[in-house]
Amino acid sequence: MLENKLDNIFNKKIVICCGSGGVGKTTTSAAIALKAAEKGLKTIVLTIDPAKRLATAMGLSSLSHAPKKVPTANGSLYAMMLDTKRTFDRLIERYAPSEKEAQAILENRLYKHMSNMIAGSQEYMAMERLHEIYEEGKYDFIVLDTPPTRHALDFLEAPRRMVNMTQNSLLKWFLTPGIFAGKVGWGLLHKGAEKILSVLDRLAGLSFLHELAEMISLMGNMLAGFQKRAQSVNDLLHSEMCGFVLIASPSEVSIEDARFFYEKINEEKLPFLGFVVNRIHQFSNVSLESLKTSSLDSEVKEKVKQVVQHYKKLSLRDESAIQGLKKSKKYFFKTIPLLAGEVHDLVGLEKMGSLLLS
Amino acid sequence: MKSNLSNLQDLIAHQLLFVTGKGGVGKTTLSFVLGLLAAKQGKRVLIVELNASSLSVLVKGRKIGYQPEKILSNYSNLHVINVDPHSAFEEYILMQIKFKSLYKAVFENKFVRYFIDATPGLADLMCIGKIYSLVKEYDLVIVDAPATGHGLALLTIPHIVSSAVKVGPLGHEAQRIDELLHDEQKTEIVLVTIPEDMPVTETVELAEKLKSQNLKVGPLFLNQAREFVLTENDERLIQKSNLSEDLKGLVHLESVREDLLKYYRNILKDTFPDQINMPFMYSENFGLAELEMIAEDVGKQIG
């Protein structure tokens, strides 16, 4: 078994929690942050979309995107909700060379319709905010709860994808707005580009193309600043200051996702801390012995048997799901048993934190 | 619990059903359950997968392709297709330009590929376009749609495109697709969730967003809605008895779970007066037998 690097978690300055949706990522992030604060580290947890009751427990409302002090007994813990609604607008505002150009992009009709759909922009913005907060230097320890992603480190790939789209020289050249101003440009185009244009024109008309061209060339202008920043975010993520925690639930799909994520993290040489497998049913060994001698009537006893049967089946299912991780000694992982109810208050977080980082 | 608002006949009378909800709550399962129920009623059904890996158990590792095929030998009128954006794009462009060599020269160009992959919404538009063309060929098309946010994008892209592109076939086709999606006689969106905090919250939010786009939201399927056998009185007796602490702990856990189920049902009730239960399954990788079991149970509730 690998060394338990999760125990060294407080040597890090930034912990990034990843995993697919519904595995308890937000809760785990909050539990780690709570533990850090107890240790005396001034801590902030950046969260994306916490469940309502957990958000309430942490003093967060969906309307506010400023750090809020969490009412903990020990230490100083802050929580902040990341605004992912306007992510792309923020990128434009930040990196456009002038306010005028920023406005031109933001008002481009196509941009308006499509900005929210650019894959990975949400993930990337989370990393941007992380970098910003780290640079401010106000906190000793930062925990980031990432948006749910499946099968990809979208936050690393998003800048690349954008650069690919806008920097591509051929595309930029033949979609330059000037081309549409008159027929002068046409003769200069080589045959391939001409064909592409004529097909696109037939499909969607030149006015659409014109708008598309405007958007792409405007976005091309903001690339320099964007790329530079993306590079420093990337450097930060790869430094020893950071640590990645992969979170899964005991289902085959979720564990498969986490393993895939791990391979990616390895390929990218990102600093890995360990797996956390949440909400495991551990009831295989519950004995029915005391039922035999009990004075309960047989109908109730039968019901208890049914309940036990249910939880034993779930325990078996969970065990077989985590077998894969157990077998390959490559991965360190920590299992968290199912807690009664859901973790939605500070008491629950404290309990979970202690199980996680005992 | 007999549902009084919806029944199977009304549901499968549509031509196009979208099944969506948060990731991992049972969208593929429900798509197939509805497919089996409709096929049993004699409908010619097509299930559209947009991520065919989720059915690996049913097809035993085989890949479902871009051509509709029958995968269950005892359901001869049930077909499955995997619609991927690249194939859909190629098919669409070829329809427009008619020359394969031209397509190859233009659209298999590396730079154009970049552009196609990076243009937001294009993949969704191509997929929904393909789905539109399939509706004519079957009595009922059931789309195993992507999870919440992406599912919404798929359903709204035709409107976005038709309002941005006013001329040319692309704009007109987008408009026709949008009209089909908004035709209440023909299209309905079916949501599925499990009784947990995030899935429930997301489902309620999604239903509101869909309604604000004037899309028709049908009944809610509540997956993993278990039946609880212990009464409050049973629990009181058990906690007072001399049963082991382990057993008492489990009984307590069970009552907490039951309370949670009630709590979430209540939250969902305002948005979805009409809830259909899907029975609890112990494994996520199950085959036809289990699907038929679920279909029978669901059929009893809405039959």
Side-chain angles (χ1 to χ4, degrees), chain B residues 41-53:
Chain B
Q41 303 270 332
K43 298 257 179 191
R44 222 171 97 81
V45 183
L46 177 71
I47 296 175
V48 178
E49 287 292 322
L50 297 167
N51 168 25
S53 65

Side-chain angles (χ1 to χ4, degrees), chain A residues 285-309:
Chain A
N285 299 323
V286 169
S287 157
L288 285 169
E289 205 52 38
S290 60
L291 207 55
K292 287 182 190 156
T293 55
S294 150
S295 55
L296 291 164
D297 67 60
S298 59
E299 195 196 332
V300 179
K301 282 185 187 178
E302 199 42 53
K303 288 182 184 172
V304 173
K305 273 187 200 161
Q306 277 182 38
V307 171
V308 172
Q309 177 88 8

Side-chain angles (χ1 to χ4, degrees), chain A residues 21-22 49-54 85 109-110 113-115 117-119 148 150-151 161 164-165 168-171 174-175 190 192 195-196 199-208 211-212 215-216 250-254 279 281 283 285-297 300 303-304 306-311 313-314 317 338-342 344, chain B residues 22-23 51 53 92-93 96-98 102 105-107 109-112 114-115 117-122 124 153 156-157 159-161 163-171 173 195-199 201-202 205 209 224 226 228-231 234-235 237-238 241-247 249-257 260 263-264 280-285:
Chain A
D49 197 8
K52 279 211 181 81
R53 290 196 284 178
L54 184 64
K85 300 277 187 302
R109 218 155 41 122
L110 285 176
H113 286 309
M114 293 174 173
S115 60
M117 287 186 283
I118 295 179
R150 233 189 107 99
H151 287 189
R161 210 175 293 138
N164 271 346
M165 176 172 92
N168 176 321
S169 56
L170 174 67
L171 207 64
F174 84 76
L175 285 178
H190 69 63
K195 275 180 192 158
I196 297 170
V199 171
L200 288 175
D201 180 26
R202 262 167 56 198
L203 280 179
L206 277 182
S207 70
F208 169 72
E211 272 190 74
L212 191 62
M215 180 173 89
I216 288 177
S251 78
E252 278 163 42
V253 177
S254 154
R279 302 208 296 187
H281 293 85
F283 305 107
N285 299 323
V286 169
S287 157
L288 285 169
E289 205 52 38
S290 60
L291 207 55
K292 287 182 190 156
T293 55
S294 150
S295 55
L296 291 164
D297 67 60
V300 179
K303 288 182 184 172
V304 173
Q306 277 182 38
V307 171
V308 172
Q309 177 88 8
H310 169 74
Y311 286 100
K313 274 191 193 170
L314 288 177
R317 181 196 69 179
L338 178 81
L339 303 171
E342 291 177 326
H344 51 68
Chain B
K22 193 173 161 66
N51 168 25
S53 65
Y92 178 70
I93 298 292
Q96 299 297 328
I97 61 178
K98 311 262 182 339
L102 185 58
V106 174
F107 291 98
N109 175 307
K110 187 173 80 183
F111 297 107
V112 178
Y114 271 148
F115 178 71
D117 290 340
T119 302
L122 187 62
D124 286 336
T156 50
I157 189 74
H159 181 71
I160 291 170
V161 172
S163 55
V165 185
K166 295 285 182 205
V167 290
L170 193 69
E173 272 143 33
E196 282 178 25
D197 198 332
M198 292 301 290
T201 308
E202 259 189 50
E205 282 170 7
K209 281 182 196 151
Q224 293 177 20
R226 222 152 38 85
F228 291 86
V229 289
L230 292 167
T231 64
D234 292 340
E235 209 217 328
L237 288 172
I238 292 165
S241 75
N242 55 352
L243 286 192
S244 68
E245 287 308 309
D246 274 2
L247 286 182
L250 270 189
V251 166
H252 175 65
L253 181 61
E254 182 75 347
S255 76
V256 172
R257 293 274 130 188
L260 278 174
Y263 174 81
Y264 290 122
F280 194 93
M281 303 304 275
Y282 287 94
S283 157
E284 58 192 26
N285 282 334

Side-chain angles (χ1 to χ4, degrees), chain A residues 145-165:
Chain A
D145 164 28
T146 59
T149 42
R150 233 189 107 99
H151 287 189
L153 292 177
D154 272 351
F155 50 86
L156 292 174
E157 284 163 14
R160 263 173 238 161
R161 210 175 293 138
M162 244 192 71
V163 168
N164 271 346
M165 176 172 92

